[in-house]
Amino acid sequence: LFCVSSLLLDSSVSLDGSKGNAGIYLERMVEKKKIEIDSLLRRHQQPDDPLVMRMSYMASENRFNLTNSLKRPADGKENLHTMSVLVDMKRRSPTIYDRREIVDYSSAGTFCELLTKVNADAFLINTDEYEYGGKATDLKDSVEGAKRARPRNPPSCVLKDIIIHPIQIAQALESGASGVLLIVSVVGGDLEVLLDACTIMGTEALVEVHTPNELDFALSKGATLFLVNMWDRVSGQLFTKQAKGLASMMPMNAVAVAAGNIRSMEQVAELGFYGYDSVVLGRNLAEVPDIKEFISDVHSFRGAPRGIGMGMKGIPWAG
C-alpha cells in the first residue's frame, strides 16, 4: 500500500506540457508517514480497538456532511449556481520554499471557531508538523471549535495529510472528521482501496487531482468529490488555467473545488462560470484584506446552472 505513484500517472505533466522534477518533499513526507503508520498499526491490533472496528465493520450510514458543506443549494426558480469557501488551515506550506510561513495561530480550535463565525463552509485541517506546522490534536480541536461557533450545522472538517492507509481514515473519524483528502499523485493505484475504506467507514473522500490523467484515473475508481489543485506538487509550479482546463471532464453531478492562489472575486466568478462549487482559501488566508468580506462575496455569487457555462458537461452518474 505504501507507494508514491506520481510517475505512473505522469502527474508532473500539466495542461501546457511542462514537466518538472520529482516532488522531494512529498517523498520525504511519505517515508515519514510509513514509519508513523507502522507504529500506529502496532498500537491498534485488538479486535475491539475503536480503529480496528471502524475498519472492519460497515458503517450504518453516511450523512454526506462534506458534500452538503461544499455544495451550497442552488438559488431561486432559475437554480442559479452558488459557491462555498473551503479554508485550508495551515501554519506553513512547502509549496514555495522562500515563503513557507502562512498563519502562526497558537490554537487551531480557536482559529477554526473564529473562521466559522465569519461563515466559512468547511476546513482542511493540516496535521503534519514538519512541512505544515500542524499538530496531532489540531483536527479534534478544530472540530470542537467549529461546533462551538455553529452547534446546529457546523462546517465540515477534513483531514489533510499524506493518507496512504485506511487506519489514518479511521483515526480521523475518531477525532470527528467529516472526510479526508486523498492526493492522487501520492496514492496512485491505491486510490480505489482508500475510497472503498471511506465507504465502509461511512465517510467521504475529497480527491485531489492536478492533471487530466489524474482526474480520468480518479473518475475510473469511483471518486465523486474533486479538488483541482492548480499547484503542481511535483514541480512546485502554479498553472493558473489548470482548473478551467479540467472542468469539461467533470460529470454534471460532481462536487468540484478549485485551489491555487485564489484571492480575488474575478477569479472566483470565472471558476464559478466553469461550474466549480467551491474555492480554497489557503496561502492567501493571511493576504486577503477582509476574510469575512471575501467569504460573503463568494456566497453572493450567482451564476448560470451547470451545463450552461463552460464546464461540468460530462455524463452524470446514474442515480
Side-chain angles (χ1 to χ4, degrees), residues 238-267:
L238 177 68
F239 296 91
T240 57
K241 298 180 180 180
Q242 201 78 355
K244 292 183 288 185
L246 267 61
S248 62
M249 294 176 62
M250 294 280 183
M252 286 281 290
N253 50 349
V255 177
V257 183
N261 203 37
I262 299 167
R263 64 175 69 192
S264 71
M265 273 308 298
E266 287 77 15
Q267 291 171 293

Side-chain angles (χ1 to χ4, degrees), residues 62-73 84 122 156 158 178-179 204-206 224-225 253-255 277:
N62 186 331
R63 297 182 180 179
F64 300 101
N65 291 336
L66 180 54
T67 292
N68 293 331
S69 290
L70 295 175
K71 198 172 183 68
R72 292 171 64 87
S84 65
S156 293
V158 180
S178 299
E204 296 180 281
L206 181 61
T224 58
L225 286 74
N253 50 349
V255 177
D277 298 293

Side-chain angles (χ1 to χ4, degrees), residues 70-304:
L70 295 175
K71 198 172 183 68
R72 292 171 64 87
D75 184 51
K77 295 180 180 179
E78 297 86 1
N79 289 319
L80 296 178
H81 186 55
T82 59
M83 299 183 72
S84 65
V85 177
L86 173 60
V87 177
D88 189 359
M89 286 182 49
K90 52 189 175 186
R91 296 175 177 87
R92 58 178 178 266
S93 170
T95 306
I96 305 176
Y97 260 88
D98 60 349
R99 292 174 54 207
R100 294 200 62 181
E101 303 304 315
I102 309 295
V103 181
D104 187 18
Y105 51 89
S106 58
S107 169
T110 301
F111 194 39
C112 191
E113 182 177 0
L114 291 172
L115 290 168
T116 301
K117 288 180 179 179
V118 297
N119 296 318
D121 296 285
F123 298 97
L124 290 170
I125 310 299
N126 291 268
T127 57
D128 179 82
E129 181 177 3
Y130 183 78
E131 299 290 353
Y132 289 93
K135 300 176 182 177
T137 58
D138 279 355
L139 179 57
K140 185 176 182 180
D141 291 346
S142 297
V143 170
E144 292 174 352
K147 288 181 178 178
R148 284 195 301 270
R150 201 188 302 163
R152 292 187 178 181
N153 185 30
S156 293
C157 290
V158 180
L159 173 64
K160 181 182 177 184
D161 198 354
I162 299 297
I163 296 176
I164 53 178
H165 195 286
I167 198 168
Q168 295 169 279
I169 301 170
Q171 189 178 44
L173 297 180
E174 282 293 304
S175 295
S178 299
V180 296
L181 180 71
L182 301 178
I183 303 171
V184 174
S185 63
V186 171
V187 302
D190 297 321
L191 178 63
E192 187 172 13
V193 173
L194 294 170
L195 287 172
D196 288 345
C198 287
T199 301
I200 290 170
M201 294 185 230
T203 193
E204 296 180 281
L206 181 61
V207 178
E208 180 185 307
V209 298
H210 173 71
T211 68
N213 282 352
E214 289 179 357
L215 177 54
D216 188 59
F217 177 75
L219 284 167
S220 73
K221 300 305 177 185
T224 58
L225 286 74
F226 301 94
L227 187 155
V228 178
N229 192 351
M230 291 183 281
W231 285 104
D232 183 350
R233 290 186 181 274
V234 176
S235 68
Q237 293 178 278
L238 177 68
F239 296 91
T240 57
K241 298 180 180 180
Q242 201 78 355
K244 292 183 288 185
L246 267 61
S248 62
M249 294 176 62
M250 294 280 183
M252 286 281 290
N253 50 349
V255 177
V257 183
N261 203 37
I262 299 167
R263 64 175 69 192
S264 71
M265 273 308 298
E266 287 77 15
Q267 291 171 293
V268 172
E270 186 174 27
L271 290 166
F273 178 67
Y274 275 82
Y276 281 88
D277 298 293
S278 184
V279 292
V280 173
L281 183 60
R283 176 173 291 275
N284 292 315
L285 188 61
E287 299 178 12
V288 170
D290 190 323
I291 295 174
K292 181 178 181 179
E293 182 179 351
F294 178 82
I295 294 175
S296 177
D297 287 345
V298 174
H299 288 170
S300 298
F301 169 82
R302 296 294 182 272

